[in-house]
Structures are given as C-alpha cells and as structure tokens.
Amino acid sequence: MSSNSFAYNEQSGGGEAAELGQEATSTISPSGAFGLFSSDLKKNEDLKQMLESSKDSAKLDAMKRIVGMIAKGKNASELFPAVVKNVASKNIEIKKLVYVYLVRYAEEQQDLALLSISTFQRALKDPNQLIRASALRVLSSIRVPIIVPIMMLAIKEASADLSPYVRKNAAHAIQKLYSLDPEQKEMLIEVIEKLLKDKSTLVAGSVVMAFEEVCPDRIDLIHKNYRKLCNLLVDVEEWGQVVIIHMLTRYARTQFVSPWKEDDGLEDNEKNFYESDDEQKGKSDKKKPYTMDPDHRLLIRNTKPLLQSRNAAVVMAVAQLYWHISPRSEAGIISKSLVRLLRSNREVQYIVLQNIATMSIQRKGMFEPYLKSFYVRSTDPTMIKTLKLEILTNLANEANISTLLREFQTYVKSQDKQFAAATIQTIGRCATNITEVTDTCLNGLVCLLSNRDEIVVAESVVVIKKLLQMQPAQHGEIIKHMAKLLDSITVPVARASILWLIGENCERVPKIAPDVLRKMAKSFTSEDDLVKLQIVNLGAKLYLTNSKQTKLLTQYILNLGKYDQNYDIRDRTRFIRQLIVPNEKSGALSKYAKKIFLAQKPAPLLESPFKDRDHFQLGTLSHTLNIKASGYLELSNWPEVAPDPSVRNVEVIELAKEWTPAGKTKKERPAKKFYSESEDEEEDGEEEEEEVEDSSDSSTDSGGESGESGGSDEDSGEDRSEEDAPSGRQSESASEAEAESKRAAKRSLKTKRKRDSEDGKKKSEKSKDSASSSAESSSVEESSSDSESESESDSEPESRKITKVKERKPQQDRNPHTKDVCLLDLDDFNSEFTPIALPTPVLSPSLIADLEGLNLSTSSSVISVSTPVFVPTKTHVLLHRMSGKGLAAQYFFPRQPCIFGDKMVSVQITLSNTSDRKIENIHIGEKKLPVGMQMHVFNPIDSLEPEGSITVSMGIDFCDSTQTANFQLCTKNDCFNVNIQPPVGELLLPVAMSEKDFKKEQGALTGMNETSATIVAVPQNFTPSMILQKVVNVANLGAVPSGQDNIHRWLKEIVVNYVMTHFGHQKYLHTIFSVFFHG
Amino acid sequence: MIHSLFLINCSGDIFLEKHWKSVVSQSVCDYFFEAQEKAADVENVPPVISTPHHYLISIYRDKLFFVSVIQTEVPPLFVIEFLHRVADTFQDYFGECSEAAIKDNVVIVYELLEEMLDNGFPLATESNILKELIKPPTILRSVVNSITGSSNVGDTLPTGQLSNIPWRRAGVKYTNNEAYFDVVEEIDAIIDKSGSTVFAEIQGVIDACIKLSGMPDLSLSFMNPRLLDDVSFHPCIRFKRWESERVLSFIPPDGNFRLISYRVSSQNLVAIPVYVKHSISFKENSSCGRFDVTIGPKQNMGKTIEGITVTVHMPKVVLNMNLTPTQGSYTFDPVTKVLTWDVGKIAPQKLPSLKGMVNLQSGAPKPEENPSLNIQFKIQQLAISGLKVNRLDMYGEKYKPFKGVKYVTKAGKFQVRT
C-alpha cells in the first residue's frame, strides 16, 4: 500500500492535493475509515487526483477506496466522471472495480454513463470470452433506458455466441432488459425460445429463469425442450436445477393427467407404505384405467437422483415435485431426504419443517417412520420447537399416542414457557383427534391446573374448555375445580374461559354458578375487558335459568356494564338487557332469549395452523409466508384430458447433419412439415462443438450423438452397445456380452417402434425420426455389397400416388392379418414408453427383458441385435384352429437378430389352445427343408391348458431366399404339416450409416436383384414420413439421413448370405435401396 | 431473484451492502430490526420476513446476519442455501467469517459477490472456480502484487466454468500427491431421566482433502456400504455407479471438500459410548439445591473417550453454583446461566464427577424442571457405526498417491434429560 502511495506522490509532484493524499494513504489503509480524518469533499478531491494519475497502482488504490465507500452505503456518485474515464483501463482489476462502480451509479448519471458504452461495445467483440461476458453483464446492468436498443442487439448477438458462458450471460441479460423495458417482451421471447434450444447445461438454468420471469405463461415454448431439459437436469448446476424443477412441476400439471386415483386422497397412508418399494412398472400394469404419460414418468425418474443432492434447495425442489406430480404411492421416497435436511442449519430446518408440517396433515404415513426425528431438544430455537410439535401432532395416531404423550410430558415442563403452552394446545388437539386418549389427556391437563406457572395453567384452562365443549356430559367435577381456580388465576383468557364454561354448564352446577357470579360482580370493575364480557354473558345465562337467585346480581352487573369505559362492553350490556329483561318495548326476540343463549354450540375444531397452506406450491415463498407473494405462479389443477403429447416430440433427424457434412446445409422436408421454419433456421453450427460438453460424463463420449440425445447415462449405454454391434458382426464370433447389450438396447427401441405403428398416421413423423436415429446408431464399417436396387415413385397429379418399391426378389404376398400379436402387451408398452426416437428409453432394458420373459417360454432366447425402425404387428397364420384340432398357431417376424445363429431369421410363433382339453407335448416334427436351409426348433412344450396360449421363438436360415420352410408341428396325438415362407423384407437387417458412407457403399455395389411392391397413398398424406412408414411396414429397413429433400435411402443387410464366399473377407452383403420420390 | 444483500452485525450496524439490481434503501432493514427485537433471541429471528414491498430472507452465521432482499416469489431455501454458500466462501477466503475479516477485505468481498450473483441469480459458486477468478489474499501475494503491479483478478475464464466438471480446476500440480479422508460420525441422542435412550441415530460425513496432480479419477469402496441408509453427495460423485455398485467414483475437486454425508439406517442399534449418573434437586422453600453429575464409559469399543464437555443451561432462578470437580474444570456464567464442565479424558479407574451446591434466588418458586445436560465427546480411530473404507483406487494418472483414512466419532446433539 504505502509503496503505491509513494509512487503516486512522486508522480503528482507535491501539490496541495498530493499532500493530502500522502497523509491519507500512508497513515490509514485505503479501505479503512479514511472519512473520519478528512471531510468527504476533500477526500473525493484526492480520489479524483488519484484516478487521473497515469499509474495503475494509484488508480487501483482509488478504486478500492471507492468500492469501500459503496460497500458502506456512502454516496460516491460525484466521482462518476473521474471513474468512468478508467473504464477502458488495461488493468483488469481496475476495470472490474470500475464496472462495480458503473453498475451502482449509472442509473443516477445516465448521460455520463453513455460515455462508457462504446467501450463495452468494443469489448463485446473481444476474443476472450470472459471479457465478452463481463462486458455484456455490465452493459445490461447499468439500467439506462436510452441504450435499450443496444442492449437488445448485444443480447441477440451474445445468444448466438460460441461460448456457452457468454450465452449464459445473455440469458441473464434478458431478465435485466425486461425489467428495464417490458416493451421488448416479444423480441426477448424470441431470444428465450432460441436459448431454450441450447444444449449446454450451463445455459439451461439461466434461460429457464429468464423464461419464468419474462413469459411464464408461454408453456408452448417448453414442449420441444421438455425431454431435453429432463435429460440434462442432472448435469445442470444446482441453482439451475431448482429453477428448472419448479418450472417443470408447473408444466407437468398442465400437460399430464392426474396420476392420483380418486380413492387415494387422504387415506392412502398405509398403502403408500407397502407400495413405495414397488417398481413403477408393476403398478401401472395393475391399474388399467390410468396409464402414465411416458414423459411424465421421465420427469419423475430423472429427478430422483437429485434427492441426494448436497444442496437443500434442490432436495426441496425435488420433494415438492414428487408431492405435486408423482403418484401418491411414489411420493414416499422424499421423506427420508427431507428428514436428512433437518440436520442442517436452523434456517433450512425452519423451511423444511414448515413443508413437512403441510405434508404431514395430508399424508401421515409418509413421515411416521421418522417420528423420533421430530423430537424436540431443549437447545432448539423456539420457532423450530413449535414446528416440530406441530408435526408430532399431525403424526399422532392410536399406535403412537402413548409414546408421544410421554414425550409431551417432558415438554410441558420445559423452561421455555411459550413452548410449554404450545405443548398443552397440542395435547388438546391430540385429545380431540384420538378419542381413545381423550380422557387421559383431560386428566393430564387437569393435573396441570395445579402447575405453578400461570401461563401453563391458563393454557390448560383454555384447552380444557375446548375439550369439555366437545363432550359436555358428566364433567361437573372438573368444572367445580376450575371454578375454584378463579380465585387464584389472573390470566384474562383463562378467567374468561372458566366463566364461559360455568355459564354454559350452569344447570349442571346450579349451586356454584350463582356464587361465581357474585364474586365476579364484586370484582367486575377491575377485570379485563375480555373477562367483563364473559361476566355479562354468565349473568344473562343465569338470569334465564335461575332468575330467582341471580336477578338482582345480573341487574347490578348490567348497570356496571352500562357505564363501562369500553364501548364494546356498553354495547353488549345494552343488547343483553333488551334481550333478557322483559319490558314493554322488548321485541319478539326476547321470547327466544333462552334459546339464543343456551343453544347447543358447535365444538371448536382444533386444527393445525398449516391446514390452509396446501393450496400453495410447497417450497415456495408464498407457502412459507402463507400469503400469495408477488410473482407467485399458481399451480394449475390437473387437466381432465391430457393435451396432445406429440407436441413434445423432437426432430432427431437434425442430428444427422452433424455427421454428414453435406447434409448440413439442407433441411429435411418432414421437419419442416412439423415445425416452423424459423426453428429450423436457428439450428446452427454451434451444435457441433457443444456436443462434448453436453454429454453427461466422459464415458458417453463414445456414443457420438449421446450429447445430443440428451446425455443421460442410459442413452450412453445404449449408444455404446450399439457401436459394438457392427464390429461384433464383422468378426464372425460376436462375443456373448456384446450381443447381450445389443439386444438390451434394441429391445427398448423396438418396443417403442412398435407402439409407433399404433399411434397412427399423425405420428408417422416420429417413426421416421426413429428410423434415422437407428440408422445412425448402429454403425457403419461394413463395406461391400453385391446388389443395389432402386425404387422410384411416380408421383402423379391424380388423387392416388403409387410408389413402386423395387426390391431384390419378386414380391411375396403378405397375408394381411391384422390381428395383434400377444407377444408383448402393446397396450402396456404404449403407456410405458416414450413415443420418441432417441432420448432415453423410458424403461431400463433389463426391465423390458423381465417383461418379455413373462410372455415367452424361452425367455432369453428371443433377443435381437440392432434396432429395427419398425416392427410390424402383422401376424401370419401357421396353423388354423380348425385344421389343427383346436391348436392354432400364428407366426410373425420380430425383426430381431436371431440368437440361434447369426444367419437365421427369428420367427415367433404363438400357439394357442382353442379346444377344451389340454394339448400335450407340442413340438416340431419332421422338417422338409430345401438344401442349405436350417432351422432351430423351439423346446417341446409339455402341455398347453385350454384357452392358454404361449409364444415360442425359433430361428430359420432361409439362405437369403424366399423358399418355403416346410415342417411338421406335432402334438402328442397329431402331426400337422405347416410352412413358413418369409416375405423378402423380413430377410433384411437395418444398418446405420451416414449419407457419405451410404454413397460409398452404394458405389461398391456390384449386382442387383429386384423386388417390387406397390405402396398406395392418398395425395394429401403424401409426406415423406408417411411413405417411410409404409416402407418400413413392408421391409426391415433403416433410413439414411439424407440431405436431399425427397430422397430416402434405404439400407439393409441380408441376414443370411452365401454369396459372401465370393468376397472372402466380407462377411455380410449389403443391399442398398434408394427410393426416389419425385415430388 | 436476490435483489440486495445487507450484512449486519450483532449490535445492529449495517456494515456492508451490495445491490444487484436497483438500489434498495437501507431502511428496509428496519423491518428486520423490528423482528429481531420481537424475537428477543437471535436464534428466534424468523428467516423469512414479509414487508410491504419486499421480502427479507436472512441467515445468522458467526454472529452476523446476512439479510437478503427479495422482490418476487422465489424458493426460500434457494436463497438460504445461497447465503450460506456466501458465508462458506468468506470462511474459505479469509479463514473466518467475521465482521473484521469482511471489512478488511471489502474489495475482495465485493469482487466475490459480483462473481457469485448476476442480476440476483447465482453465477459461480464453486470455490475452485472463484479462486481462479479472484485469488484469495495471502501476505505473500499482497507483497508481490504491490511490487510487480500484478492483480488478484484472473483475466481468463476458469476452465472449470465450461467443463462438465466445474468443481475441478485444470493444471493442478503437486510434488507430493496425497489423498486423505476423514470419516466423522456424530451420535445424535436423547437420553431420558432413567438412562434409557429415547432417540439415537448416527449421522456421518466423509470429508476429503485431496492434493493430487492432473485429473485423477478416484473410486472409494466400503467394506459394508449397506450401512449407509441415506446419502447426499458432492456433485462430483457418479450417482449411477453408487446405485449399481455402491462404490464412490469421482473426479475430486482440488483441496478440502465434503465428499458425502450420510445417515446410518435407523434399524441398527446405536451404541451409546457414555452414561451419566445425575442427581439435581432444588429444595422447596429454600434458596439452595444440589447438583451431582458423574460420567462413565459404556460401549466404548475399547477406545478412550476424550474431549468430554458437559454444558448445562441452568434455570433462570439459579444465582450461583459452588461445585467441586474430581477432574477437569468448570465455569458458570451467572448472566447466561450456562454451566460448562470441561472434563477431558475418562480414566476408567476413577470416574469424573462434579458435585456441589446451587444457590437460588430467594423467594422465587423452585424450577419446574431439571435442566438437561448437553454432552460433547470424541473417540479417535473409531466409526461408531462400524463403517470401514475398503480401498481407494486411482485411475487416469500414473503416479502413486499417498492415501490415508481417519475415523472419528463425536457426540452430535447429545442430550441427557434429567
């Protein structure tokens, strides 16, 4: 410090101001209390001098002192011109401090602040991202309305910056600009929309914050990003997580139907206990009417790990999400984490306990196992104690009340009297809620009446009064006891309560009541207002029931009341006199006076003060204060009918661009169909460089597009296994492990696909997405192929369009059986799977495996390798029930690589017994196969019950031909000749490759075989996606992402292959189809 | 979100203010002072206060109030958690979070606050990132800076800010590579009058001090991971790995940090390592009472129990205490009525006890309830739950680190009712 000041002194050469400066800096540290020694004015002069010096050190010192002034709340605004000159300083620390100053004072000195703008504009173009970001921060923070257009421009530019850090700052700037000039809303929403698409975890939290502030009602902006946000959530920084979770909670409440069953409102405490461990899966199997939207499930599942966060706010956010949107039976898991937070500091405890209190009113069962965690320690602050007490009361039930009452006994004796009083109230509430212990509690409270502490006694009196009111019968003794207390007790509420009690029960204690009135009449003038009112009441009641003894006393009291200082009492006295004392003027009412005064009064309900808080979203400020805070966003009720879930579908096709440089410039037609042009345009080159940051951890990098697909770990697992796939195939001996993982991955995709087919035309879009994704995700290395076929479609201007798909062999007729295969319960999957292509399969593969195992006899043997785009549900009859004497058999092609041999096509056969007897020993008998064909039969089935059905799988090597496989299906008694002839489409396997690779492969093709089929479509449905749907229906193909609008490339691999021997080193043969649509 | 922040000391002086949006006048704090007055005790000041135009959310840390001003709906825990993070950062930078430390380093405090929040929304809260942006003050550095003119402020964006492991900075280098883990378990218990346990549970944390070069990838496994019932993780831990294998796998931050905190499942019986014999009585209608407390070891797994301290909040009517300890020393503060007995180690041959007379205010009624005893102790080399680290493996780097694990058991909120 001192060296700095010397440097400065030398520099400024001994003027008067310099002397001042020397004096100041050499004796006192710059941030210290300089102001004590010289007047503000002088000091500022000195600072100005320092700021104008050419030495950075002097400037820095000056700035540090100025910041010290700002921190203390002193006014340093007159230094503005001197400070603002330094905004372009090279020294980064000076610069930062100048920024601090500017942000603080620019609003007050708008004109001068404009001087600094050009510096920021220059800095916005700086190659250093930190400088760009901080320039944007300051520019947007200085709150000068004139520069709004400049800010807007800067935000727009920054939102397209290459650095996610700058984009994050842009998101923050949006809110600042919005608060400065709400007029800009529309433009800002555009930026928000663009930034919402950002795939960087850094940006996500900030942009959602901006969204919440600027346009929380534009829920439509979220649709497309919903799945991405869910998947990124784990990797977003913790503050962003909180904001995103709150926003998604609101979103879910508008987009999904309620997962709560009507009957499981308040009483499902027990149920939730036993069910909480249930796998999500089994549950929705049981309850047919409600099936959860897979996106809903996605959110619930992806937030669960965050319960383990170290940040209390994140845990609370997840807890409220579970509370508000998960099925009741699953919300149980949050209690453990919330209880964990109780170890934290008192402020966190306070908020968490409040929320638990609200929850425990509705769902006791959730927190009952943690009852003891809410026991009060004498060292807790009172506010924590009372909250814990509240929760203990809510949790009290028949089973635990005795333990609790023992615990309460300790509390009643507490030195903290406020807390002791609260405990007494609690006991009262327990007594009313749990009838078994009412008497015990009452006795306990009566004992407390002899307590030495007045507050305790008074509180007991009040509580006893309430209890007695509920069951007025035979408690004369207690009332007498309390009447005696009137002599000693001084707390007004308690005295008033006793008087009221005596008045109510004056007919039960006929001797005591008039005596009490006498005593009270004596002390009337010195009583509290509250007590006086009750004395008047007591007098009136006695006058009506026992006028002989009390008439004069009452009149005396009424006279006293008439001249009381308090107008309430005078008022009441007059009213009562008119009512009870009959005179000529008295109206009709006095006849009913007795009815009015001695009416049966409803017992007060002792309720939790947290009762009415449940209409606020948990974890919010409004909930804590129990007032609607400004900016609180209401949680809407569940919609009756869920809005269209397809709005959340995302065009995964976009990914392709990153892999095929050629495709980058072009857009997919189908994408345009569904999404607005502008969105497409905004997908810019940045994506490429982001992808690595996005992926959730290093391991996912292997699956190139994992970052894009949402970065969740499941995804990455899948990607990886799919990458393994081709190499496995190439090296002839695919290792078992790889195959296993491939299958797992595929299964999940496959099931998705399946459902897609059901989802009707509207979603054909989707399956196209899947097509591309699967095409990419299996991979590429294979090269040679011997045939190519092209198919063209002539698009005629008439009402029908005919697309001819020429394939390798003459087309086989497919039996158009439309009956569903019961192999997998499609309805189930419909509900359980995300109807989209890439982002995480909703269920883990292993779960699906389990499910499949349920239906398939040879559980693990029906598995697959890569990912078919679409699995037709079409089945073919193998054996009709009439000809099979009750045994019916149907087969279909699951389009999974066969595990029995990699040249085999897997076939699933569903056998069902339509007869009324058991069919025993079903097996495959004699096989009559053409040369070269092989067949792997299923294990014999011992018996099949009537009405039973079973699905088995087998593998057939068709030798790449469509020759029929004839064989016998035998039972114990009969043999039936059956045959399977494969459509050519089923002999193929889809392969993923980029367009570039595709073209390379295409060039290497040598021969061609042709197969043709006709696809019929009406013109209005003639969208590429629709055609895609039709094509995959016929053949097991994948789509290659294509740059040209109307070309789809089809890719397949022949499963079985003998031509291969000609190529020697190549194991597989590819057939590549190009389908041209002229449009 | 967070509009402004005021730091207020115990005597009610606002000694620092920082605004992230328009300036909010200091007078808003009057509402806070009002609430503080009403609450009597600092502990009882409500963390959330509603005023006509703003909401005040405050925390109390190290004798300072951090009062933040909020204008619109925000999850209160978000603010509370953030304020604590600010206090943690001060602690980290200045060694203590006190008024003096903050005043001495007001510029750094300001720079920190500027980086931590932008427009009221947290920007950088990871200590590793902050330390790259703003260097913590050291004597050496301030000397060097004043000579060379270099500054405390970094001019490039910290690498961590952009990576997906923001908690670790790049280019860490040590000559001695070390990784230490402290397994610290605390017993929370309420023991009733008769000596039986009303409530007991074990809460543990694993604090790590990692000084490893480069980008080490560590995995820590336990002999008995099933003991851990409820765990919360530092963000560096790979959740999936823990779910599937019960292994803590992570790329650690550099320096000291809390790896996990956990609760041992409540099914397990908690061993209570000490017992207390007590007889505290106040005579009716006389101004004195008796006080007799003895502490002895119980279920201590053969380890010595050290650092025992007994703290008692005596009733208000107690004027003074005349006690004789057989071991250690005691103090009684007649103003706060807190009795502290520093016992030290328990020697099994002769159990420490504290006996004597209590002087009461004459004429006042005898206290209703006996005060409860808060006990502190420490057992080295023992994790009371039986948790044991199995091994620590390092991947990704070639050198061989020095590894160490230390176990300590402490009393948490350990209360004996009398």
Side-chain angles (χ1 to χ4, degrees), chain A residues 731-781:
Chain A
S731 63
E732 190 88 29
S733 57
S735 82
E736 190 52 41
E738 278 172 357
E740 192 61 50
S741 61
K742 276 183 267 172
R743 272 173 233 138
K746 176 168 172 204
R747 238 172 290 137
S748 53
L749 279 169
K750 183 203 85 187
T751 33
K752 273 192 270 174
R753 228 83 337 125
K754 239 175 155 170
R755 202 209 12 242
D756 286 343
S757 69
E758 289 209 337
D759 282 351
K761 280 188 185 152
K762 220 178 155 195
K763 290 184 189 153
S764 55
E765 166 76 28
K766 222 178 291 163
S767 68
K768 188 185 173 262
D769 291 347
S770 341
S772 68
S773 71
S774 65
E776 278 167 62
S777 54
S778 353
S779 158
V780 187
E781 284 119 70

Side-chain angles (χ1 to χ4, degrees), chain A residues 238 309-310, chain B residues 126 167 233-238 258-259:
Chain A
E238 41 199 357
S309 171
R310 64 171 169 173
Chain B
E126 279 297 337
W167 52 84
F233 298 122
H234 188 276
C236 69
I237 291 174
R238 297 183 181 107
R258 175 152 297 172
L259 186 63

Side-chain angles (χ1 to χ4, degrees), chain A residues 558-852:
Chain A
L558 289 176
N559 281 334
L560 284 177
K562 196 171 165 187
Y563 300 106
D564 198 89
Q565 285 182 327
N566 185 305
Y567 62 78
D568 260 352
I569 292 166
R570 295 199 298 275
D571 203 40
R572 176 76 64 90
T573 314
R574 250 174 244 128
F575 164 72
I576 283 176
R577 189 193 291 276
Q578 291 301 317
L579 208 56
I580 58 170
V581 184
N583 58 18
E584 62 281 4
K585 278 191 286 179
S586 69
L589 265 183
S590 60
K591 268 184 270 172
Y592 303 106
K594 192 164 180 177
K595 274 197 180 145
I596 291 168
F597 279 100
L598 293 169
Q600 194 74 41
K601 293 165 186 78
L605 228 57
L606 298 178
E607 273 185 337
S608 161
F610 284 84
K611 189 94 190 156
D612 55 342
R613 287 201 190 186
D614 53 355
H615 58 272
F616 289 117
Q617 186 176 359
L618 289 185
T620 59
L621 187 61
S622 307
H623 174 268
T624 297
L625 294 168
N626 202 15
I627 314 166
K628 194 168 166 177
S630 65
Y632 174 74
L633 299 165
E634 206 77 51
L635 208 56
S636 73
N637 281 328
W638 296 102
E640 289 290 318
V641 182
D644 182 12
S646 63
V647 292
R648 283 182 294 276
N649 294 339
V650 193
E651 70 245 70
V652 185
I653 205 87
E654 295 284 13
L655 306 183
K657 292 178 198 158
E658 287 170 26
W659 297 98
T660 56
K664 217 167 155 184
T665 49
K666 297 173 181 175
K667 299 280 181 281
E668 285 286 332
R669 172 79 12 109
K672 282 196 176 161
K673 278 296 283 187
F674 256 61
Y675 309 109
S676 74
E677 316 266 294
S678 65
E679 286 173 30
D680 286 348
E681 248 73 85
E682 276 158 23
E683 291 285 340
D684 41 22
E686 285 161 38
E687 282 171 14
E688 272 189 339
E689 45 115 21
E690 270 164 44
E691 169 187 303
V692 180
E693 295 157 16
D694 289 349
S695 52
S696 59
D697 61 47
S698 49
S699 71
T700 59
D701 288 349
S702 62
E705 79 278 76
S706 65
E708 304 296 337
S709 63
S712 96
D713 284 5
E714 266 148 280
D715 253 348
S716 71
E718 204 175 300
D719 294 340
R720 217 183 317 168
S721 54
E722 280 165 356
E723 270 214 338
D724 292 344
S727 60
R729 261 179 257 143
Q730 261 181 343
S731 63
E732 190 88 29
S733 57
S735 82
E736 190 52 41
E738 278 172 357
E740 192 61 50
S741 61
K742 276 183 267 172
R743 272 173 233 138
K746 176 168 172 204
R747 238 172 290 137
S748 53
L749 279 169
K750 183 203 85 187
T751 33
K752 273 192 270 174
R753 228 83 337 125
K754 239 175 155 170
R755 202 209 12 242
D756 286 343
S757 69
E758 289 209 337
D759 282 351
K761 280 188 185 152
K762 220 178 155 195
K763 290 184 189 153
S764 55
E765 166 76 28
K766 222 178 291 163
S767 68
K768 188 185 173 262
D769 291 347
S770 341
S772 68
S773 71
S774 65
E776 278 167 62
S777 54
S778 353
S779 158
V780 187
E781 284 119 70
E782 303 90 323
S783 57
S784 112
S785 45
D786 70 339
S787 64
E788 179 191 44
S789 51
E790 288 188 343
S791 36
E792 316 183 333
S793 84
D794 308 312
S795 57
E796 285 117 6
E798 319 136 14
S799 65
R800 311 184 83 220
K801 294 203 176 178
I802 296 165
T803 311
K804 283 184 184 162
V805 181
K806 290 176 192 159
E807 288 183 354
R808 199 168 158 258
K809 299 233 165 124
Q811 214 256 339
Q812 303 290 322
D813 273 342
R814 298 251 227 135
N815 297 340
H817 289 285
T818 46
K819 201 182 154 211
D820 274 352
V821 186
C822 43
L823 211 169
L824 297 164
D825 191 350
L826 291 171
D827 285 335
D828 264 351
F829 282 111
N830 222 346
S831 63
E832 290 299 325
F833 287 88
T834 335
I836 37 146
L838 259 192
T840 10
V842 174
L843 285 182
S844 65
S846 66
L847 202 53
I848 304 169
D850 292 348
L851 288 169
E852 261 182 346

